[in-house]
Amino acid sequence: MARIVMKFGGTSMAGSERIRRVANIVRRQQAAGHEVAVVVSAMAGETDRLVNFCREANPLYDPAEYDVVVASGEQVTSGLLALTLQALGCQARSWLGWQLPIHTDDAHAKARIEGIDSEALLASMAAGEVAVIPGFQGLSDANRITTLGRGGSDTSAVAVAAAIGADRCDIYTDVDGVYTTDPRIVAKARKLKYVTYEEMLELASVGSKVLQTRSVSLAMKEGVRVQVLSSFIDDDSAPSDEIPGTLIVSDEELEGLDMERQLITGIAADKNEAKLILTRVPDRPGAVATIFGPLAAANINVDMIIQNVGRDKGETDVTFTVPGADLLRAQTLLEAQKEAIGYNRIITDGKVAKISVVGVGMKSHAGVAATMFRALADRGINIQAISTSEIKVSVLIDEDETELAVRVLHTAYGMDATDQAA
Ligand code: ASP
Ligand code: MG
């Protein structure tokens, strides 16, 4: 027997037909002898609809009342799933966020989970009941309903799994796992059987949005094993303890699981970056601080940074990237500081993309960056900036070359699926 948390996203919960399908998947796990808690999202599109109502009611809406409204989408689906399970002869009941409760801070619309009271939940599961929990919801110390931010049901599921000491948290979605890269760009992308928390965080933060990033950090912190898999695969015979999707685990667990580990795990592309160049910045202590201080104060995240060695006249160019949505704000701020910083000109470019190769394998191997630069150079793709971490190399290129770069790199690292493996 295992204790399993199963989470179903909005597309899996969209309508009675699909909820019945979900109920059948849940029933199979319970019939296999497992203790099951289910976390559900609102029906696809429902949260957007509710957010719109709030905007129409009052453009300057009170976030506490916003939470009351948007949390309702998950209340509906949790009740419906419990009803559907009962119709199939399964014992089931819903546990709303405030009933457990799921304690959060009071940052409405983006609350953080502080703890979950799991006693009643565990007792009901031990008695053979499927526990159905609406994702996204919590309760603040002031006794008000909170929500966890868009996509927050993933985080609810991981938090529930941690609280009840689940053996696994299965996240059912409309993709069947995590791929080496976006299969819409590279037809030969392969589904990964395993990925580490760190890799998943890097892949998620640079643009493959399978899970809410916060849920991955939480899983890493709490050591929750997460599996991403599809709820749209018809396979009644699948044994319950097999791993049909992608399992997200720690580095240590992975070493035992995957002997044929590849050097690179995945390639991500992010078009939401913008580049700024400040020319002829004085090359003296404190100059860079006067650029990035005001940006930090305005909560603008700076990602890649390049400062050249000063050539002559004690001047240098400083290049960096910010989220595309913040480009105008950053530019305006820096123009206001022109005197204080002492630069000559600002050049901006919103048509850039960040391409990242990610893999824990590169911790112990040299040459990953060299392979990347060579492969891009062979195709005439110019690199405008570079940044690295222990398990990632990122380059900034022209946005129009994104697809080409991802394909070229996927091949260069030998990641293309062979016909048998595909
Ligand atoms: N329903 C919420 C949203 O759309 C939470 C979730 O589905 O994860 O953001
Ligand atoms: Mg989601």
Side-chain angles (χ1 to χ4, degrees):
M1 188 214 66
R3 190 177 286 160
I4 298 176
V5 172
M6 306 173 76
K7 184 260 169 180
F8 293 90
T11 33
S12 310
M13 297 301 292
S16 308
E17 198 60 39
R18 292 191 180 175
I19 294 178
R20 197 161 314 119
R21 196 187 182 98
V22 165
N24 271 310
I25 299 175
V26 172
R27 185 175 61 164
R28 276 207 296 277
Q29 291 289 334
Q30 204 200 22
H34 302 310
E35 280 185 9
V36 182
V38 188
V39 175
V40 295
S41 283
M43 295 191 197
E46 180 63 9
T47 308
D48 288 339
R49 198 176 72 97
L50 297 168
V51 170
N52 259 328
F53 279 130
C54 293
R55 290 201 181 117
E56 281 168 19
N58 184 345
L60 297 171
Y61 53 74
D62 166 11
E65 296 304 341
Y66 161 97
D67 278 348
V68 172
V69 176
V70 299
S72 68
E74 273 77 7
Q75 171 158 342
V76 171
T77 47
S78 57
L80 287 173
L81 179 58
L83 285 171
T84 312
L85 282 163
Q86 289 167 3
L88 294 175
C90 283
Q91 287 185 65
R93 76 151 278 188
S94 61
W95 296 89
L96 300 183
W98 61 269
Q99 286 173 319
L100 285 168
I102 295 178
H103 299 281
T104 72
D105 62 16
D106 60 3
H108 284 282
K110 48 173 190 295
R112 286 184 168 271
I113 297 179
E114 289 175 340
I116 298 179
D117 294 354
S118 57
E119 226 166 278
L121 201 59
L122 285 167
S124 121
M125 289 167 67
E129 218 166 42
V130 174
V132 185
I133 302 159
F136 193 43
Q137 306 184 344
L139 186 70
S140 73
D141 280 346
N143 223 23
R144 303 214 58 182
I145 305 274
T146 54
T147 64
L148 309 182
R150 298 308 304 272
S153 295
D154 295 335
T155 302
S156 306
V158 170
V160 168
I164 66 173
D167 297 282
R168 211 172 62 224
C169 180
D170 283 347
I171 309 241
Y172 287 83
T173 165
D174 49 6
V175 295
D176 61 355
V178 180
Y179 278 73
T180 49
T181 194
D182 186 343
R184 287 168 305 184
I185 299 180
V186 180
K188 290 185 169 180
R190 282 181 296 110
K191 194 177 81 186
L192 295 163
K193 198 151 178 57
Y194 307 102
V195 58
T196 69
Y197 298 122
E198 288 171 291
E199 290 171 333
M200 193 63 203
L201 278 172
E202 292 286 13
L203 290 169
S205 68
V206 284
S208 30
K209 316 169 202 59
V210 188
L211 295 178
Q212 196 196 34
T213 310
R214 261 170 65 189
S215 71
V216 184
S217 328
L218 185 64
M220 175 154 114
K221 180 163 154 271
E222 300 286 339
V224 174
R225 305 166 79 233
V226 175
Q227 179 183 199
V228 175
L229 71 175
S230 170
S231 62
F232 293 94
I233 289 174
D234 254 324
D235 187 1
D236 287 325
S237 60
S240 52
D241 54 1
E242 221 201 77
I243 303 292
T246 300
L247 195 64
I248 309 172
V249 294
S250 67
D251 234 346
E252 298 77 58
E253 182 172 350
L254 183 82
E255 270 168 34
L257 283 170
D258 196 0
M259 311 304 285
E260 289 157 50
R261 190 107 194 102
Q262 308 272 342
L263 187 54
I264 297 301
T265 303
I267 301 174
D270 181 5
K271 293 184 181 177
N272 299 317
E273 294 239 347
K275 182 179 74 171
L276 295 103
I277 304 171
L278 299 197
T279 65
R280 299 177 54 191
V281 176
D283 191 13
R284 58 166 160 72
V288 170
T290 59
I291 301 174
F292 295 109
L295 296 175
N299 236 325
I300 297 175
N301 247 324
V302 174
D303 183 18
M304 305 170 122
I305 302 175
I306 302 177
Q307 185 194 333
N308 296 323
V309 177
R311 285 161 307 197
D312 34 26
K313 301 196 216 92
E315 290 170 341
T316 175
D317 293 350
V318 179
T319 303
F320 57 95
T321 64
V322 298
D326 291 333
L327 176 59
L328 213 58
R329 230 156 42 90
Q331 189 177 353
T332 312
L333 260 173
L334 293 170
E335 272 161 5
Q337 299 286 323
K338 189 161 193 250
E339 296 286 288
I341 303 169
Y343 63 87
N344 177 248
R345 209 152 73 86
I346 301 185
I347 304 166
T348 65
D349 185 358
K351 272 185 78 299
V352 290
K354 182 166 81 167
I355 312 295
S356 306
V357 298
V358 174
V360 289
M362 72 176 78
K363 280 185 186 173
S364 51
H365 280 85
V368 169
T371 301
M372 184 177 199
F373 304 155
R374 178 82 269 149
L376 296 175
D378 285 347
R379 289 310 189 92
I381 297 172
N382 189 39
I383 298 171
Q384 305 175 17
I386 301 166
S387 70
T388 64
S389 80
E390 215 183 0
I391 64 163
K392 183 181 74 168
V393 183
S394 305
V395 295
L396 197 71
I397 62 168
D398 186 328
E399 186 182 284
D400 290 340
E401 295 175 323
T402 306
E403 281 76 17
L404 175 64
V406 171
R407 272 190 218 113
V408 162
L409 293 172
H410 203 267
T411 306
Y413 290 106
M415 300 167 84
D416 292 348
T418 58
D419 284 341
Q420 309 103 286

